[in-house]
Amino acid sequence: LANMTAVFIYVMGKKKLSELRPEHFIAYNSGRRNGKFGKRKAKSDGTIRRELQHLKAAINFCLTAKVINPSDVPNIPMPAPPAPRDRWLSKDELARINAVLENGRIQPRVKTFVMIAKFTAARKSSIEKLQCFSRNLLIFHSKIFQKLLDW
């Protein structure tokens, strides 16, 4: 946050909050994206978006505390959210995971989690939300599927 604050001060100067316009934030976005200031390293839209969200959170806190007037709050244009970082495991990675599951001392709940994740390609949060019946059903089907693969 210290670097982000320094960059904001460098880009925005000593302007009051009410003096900031969307053009200032667009200049900030393009400058960060091109590495013109900060640590002179180009930043992704996700990083820039997170920095601007921190700024919005600080402004909202000041609004709640009645430190600033609502009329002084600028419109802050945000970059588009980045695409999710999804990736499929390769066959070699799956083989290594299977070897660890079969040979290593791994808790049964971890084996269950990995088995469900492997056969459903579900995200961690989706697997954690499963109810007991659904989880048992998936385990049953994944064991059948594993036997078919081994056959």
Side-chain angles (χ1 to χ4, degrees):
L1 286 175
N3 184 43
M4 180 186 79
T5 305
V7 170
F8 273 125
I9 291 171
Y10 176 78
V11 173
M12 307 301 176
K14 294 186 177 183
K15 293 180 177 64
K16 294 180 181 177
L17 191 62
S18 59
E19 296 173 343
L20 294 177
R21 301 285 172 250
E23 302 84 46
H24 295 107
F25 296 101
I26 292 170
Y28 173 80
N29 290 351
S30 64
R32 289 294 272 171
R33 195 174 296 114
N34 298 326
K36 289 184 180 176
F37 39 77
K39 291 187 177 181
R40 306 280 188 228
K41 182 179 175 187
K43 300 294 180 187
S44 68
D45 282 346
T47 302
I48 298 167
R49 184 177 176 84
R50 187 179 66 242
E51 291 172 351
L52 292 175
Q53 286 172 335
H54 287 166
L55 177 65
K56 275 187 168 185
I59 290 172
N60 288 337
F61 177 80
C62 291
L63 275 172
T64 304
K66 298 184 179 179
V67 176
I68 58 175
N69 293 326
S71 60
D72 292 342
V73 176
N75 178 18
I76 302 176
M78 303 290 271
R85 295 181 290 188
D86 288 342
R87 175 177 94 75
W88 296 95
L89 295 176
S90 68
K91 289 183 180 182
D92 292 337
E93 290 169 328
L94 277 175
R96 285 192 308 214
I97 289 172
N98 285 336
V100 169
L101 289 176
E102 291 171 6
N103 301 329
R105 290 184 177 177
I106 301 207
Q107 295 178 355
R109 61 190 172 100
V110 176
K111 287 183 181 181
T112 302
F113 177 85
V114 171
M115 190 173 6
I116 291 172
K118 185 168 67 170
F119 290 111
T120 62
R123 293 178 181 265
K124 177 185 171 199
S125 58
S126 300
I127 295 171
E128 289 173 342
K129 291 177 186 174
L130 287 175
Q131 300 298 318
C132 185
F133 174 75
S134 302
R135 190 170 37 244
N136 290 341
L137 189 63
L138 280 171
I139 292 168
F140 174 73
H141 285 297
S142 62
K143 285 180 180 176
I144 291 173
F145 188 67
Q146 182 67 45
K147 288 180 182 178
L148 288 173
L149 286 178
D150 293 341
W151 184 59

